[in-house]
Amino acid sequence: MEVLRPALININGRMYRRNIMKEEHYEEEEEEEDVSYMGPPESEDLADDEACDAIPIEQTDKGYRCAIDVPSVLYKYIIGKKGETRKRLEFDTKTSINIPKPGVEGQIVVTGPHKAAVSSAVTRVEVLIEGFRKKQPFTHFLSFHLNDPKIQEGFLSFKDEVLQQCSQDHGVEGSIFQNPAKLHLTIGTLALLNDTEVRKACEHLQECQNFIRDLTEGKPLPLEVTGIEYMNDDPAMVDVLYAKVNVKDRSDKLQVIADRLVEHFVSAGLMVREWDRVKLHATVMNTLFRKDSTVEDTGGPRRQTMSEREAFDARNILKKFAAYRFGEFELNSVLLSQRYSTDCSGYYTSAGSTTFS
């Protein structure tokens, strides 16, 4: 970011500069976002009272008060090193900012003698939270499960045949194949930082049921998993090989459902849009799954960074299995799946779902 041309944020019709200041108190260095009010935009002269009205501020006997829902994992970004961030916010806005104890879910409460001051403090806190929220790893994802027994059987046959016919090709080995119980299509990822946000996501997923059932006519969606494709440009240096999934009647219903789900969750502020359209792909081979032989003696494999990944030669696989049929099944649900957690079937633990029928 250019120092003389900081990024601008439009919040409730007001323009703010996003300045970057170093904070050194976290385990990993973070950048604290300092927000400076620039006044109303040139196209709209927004009165202070109108701007304040956009934020739910209540009047009290001692002045004004506003409570903000903030996940506890983000408190530290408002507190800062030795409380410096909070002190600066309080000094700049002439307000008091009360933050719950670390690990205790609650609300950050801003109080002050003037409504405009409380509004300014709340806006600055919200912008800080917005910036650091985007840096949190995703915890959940919306998925279409593909671990139907028929698809799993077809996948295991595919794995056996590939290892029999192509194991001499560079990088092709059993460890880079997907776990058949976890076969799925990812629709979009979410960082849900407390139980309240998980419940909110589940509620929004339920709100999508009507348009989903309109598209599927209240019936499960017959799918076929046929053919394979690779992610990058060079088939001799592949990191991800995936199976292609289509609706049996060749309609775009599955794609439309995925795109509308993302649109809904982006609008709700629960998801960040990455692409214009969801790229639906069922990963069957991924070099991130590869075992690292250098850590075998320490108790098992570890995940590798992108720079450590060893690509595999997929040319023969693509030639021999281009039209491979994994099978057919009827899809009847969208799941809010939890990362790093599995249920008794081996699939990702579901925090919520909605059905097609």
Side-chain angles (χ1 to χ4, degrees):
M1 182 191 74
E2 295 185 27
V3 175
L4 298 179
R5 293 184 178 180
L8 303 181
I9 310 170
N10 187 325
I11 296 182
N12 298 323
R14 309 185 115 192
M15 300 303 295
Y16 296 84
R17 296 187 187 93
R18 176 178 281 167
N19 300 321
I20 302 300
M21 300 179 64
K22 277 290 183 181
E23 283 284 353
E24 301 178 350
H25 62 291
Y26 309 122
E27 291 182 3
E28 298 181 359
E29 282 197 352
E30 300 280 4
E31 292 180 333
E32 178 192 344
E33 297 179 357
D34 178 40
V35 184
S36 305
Y37 178 52
M38 295 182 61
E42 294 180 3
S43 60
E44 184 178 1
D45 184 12
L46 192 66
D48 285 344
D49 288 343
E50 185 179 344
C52 292
D53 289 342
I55 297 173
I57 299 172
E58 59 184 87
Q59 189 169 8
T60 67
D61 294 339
K62 297 181 180 180
Y64 294 87
R65 176 186 185 275
C66 183
I68 319 166
D69 291 317
V70 177
S72 61
V73 296
L74 300 179
Y75 293 165
K76 63 180 180 180
Y77 302 116
I78 306 303
I79 297 171
K81 182 181 180 181
K82 297 180 180 179
E84 291 174 1
T85 302
R86 174 165 57 180
K87 291 176 184 176
R88 188 177 71 250
L89 288 170
E90 291 177 327
F91 178 81
D92 289 348
T93 60
K94 304 300 185 291
T95 60
S96 176
I97 301 174
N98 183 267
I99 302 173
K101 293 180 180 180
V104 177
E105 295 296 338
Q107 293 180 313
I108 291 178
V109 179
V110 180
T111 58
H114 304 292
K115 189 175 183 181
V118 172
S119 175
S120 175
V122 168
T123 298
R124 293 179 66 165
V125 168
E126 288 180 336
V127 173
L128 279 171
I129 293 303
E130 177 196 18
F132 285 110
R133 174 183 286 279
K134 292 177 180 177
K135 299 178 182 180
Q136 303 303 307
F138 77 89
T139 60
H140 295 72
F141 59 101
L142 293 180
S143 73
F144 296 130
H145 71 89
L146 301 179
N147 62 342
D148 180 89
K150 295 186 289 293
I151 305 301
Q152 289 196 54
E153 182 180 352
F155 168 79
L156 289 172
S157 296
F158 168 78
K159 177 181 178 180
D160 289 343
E161 292 181 38
V162 168
L163 291 176
Q164 288 174 10
Q165 301 180 40
C166 306
S167 60
Q168 299 304 311
D169 295 337
H170 177 77
V172 176
E173 61 178 27
S175 67
I176 66 175
F177 285 82
Q178 174 67 283
N179 178 342
K182 291 185 175 181
L183 289 167
H184 70 279
L185 298 173
T186 296
I187 301 166
T189 60
L190 308 90
L192 305 176
L193 305 182
N194 58 22
D195 290 342
T196 299
E197 295 190 351
V198 173
R199 286 194 296 272
K200 181 181 177 182
C202 290
E203 290 169 1
H204 278 281
L205 185 55
Q206 285 299 316
E207 290 174 8
C208 296
Q209 189 174 74
N210 286 340
F211 81 72
I212 291 174
R213 291 186 175 182
D214 286 344
L215 287 165
T216 64
E217 299 178 349
K219 303 174 183 177
L221 206 56
L223 301 182
E224 58 181 17
V225 184
T226 303
I228 55 174
E229 192 54 85
Y230 61 103
M231 282 290 189
N232 58 311
D233 297 328
D234 185 358
M237 295 289 289
V238 171
D239 281 316
V240 177
L241 192 75
Y242 62 91
K244 294 184 283 188
V245 181
N246 293 292
V247 182
K248 285 189 68 176
D249 64 7
R250 295 300 170 183
S251 70
D252 63 351
K253 291 178 182 177
L254 191 66
Q255 183 69 53
V256 172
I257 292 172
D259 289 339
R260 289 191 61 179
L261 282 165
V262 169
E263 181 181 346
H264 181 93
F265 276 78
V266 169
S267 298
L270 292 170
M271 188 179 289
V272 176
R273 185 183 299 279
E274 298 182 47
W275 313 103
D276 291 337
R277 301 187 75 196
V278 178
K279 184 173 178 58
L280 293 172
H281 62 282
T283 298
V284 293
M285 299 173 71
N286 189 333
T287 57
L288 280 179
F289 302 152
R290 191 187 301 280
K291 290 181 178 179
D292 185 342
S293 59
T294 63
V295 294
E296 284 288 322
D297 292 338
T298 64
R302 65 177 174 88
R303 293 294 186 186
Q304 300 154 319
T305 64
M306 293 295 290
S307 61
E308 293 176 315
R309 292 173 72 165
E310 178 191 352
F312 64 96
D313 186 345
R315 288 175 293 184
N316 278 333
I317 299 175
L318 290 163
K319 181 179 179 180
K320 296 178 180 181
F321 301 94
Y324 187 87
R325 289 181 57 82
F326 293 86
E328 301 176 357
F329 79 109
E330 291 190 337
L331 180 68
N332 195 38
S333 63
V334 183
L335 304 177
L336 177 61
S337 301
Q338 184 177 335
R339 196 179 185 190
Y340 301 133
S341 178
T342 56
D343 59 22
C344 60
S345 73
Y347 192 70
Y348 300 95
T349 301
S350 175
S353 66
T354 192
T355 59
F356 295 4
S357 62

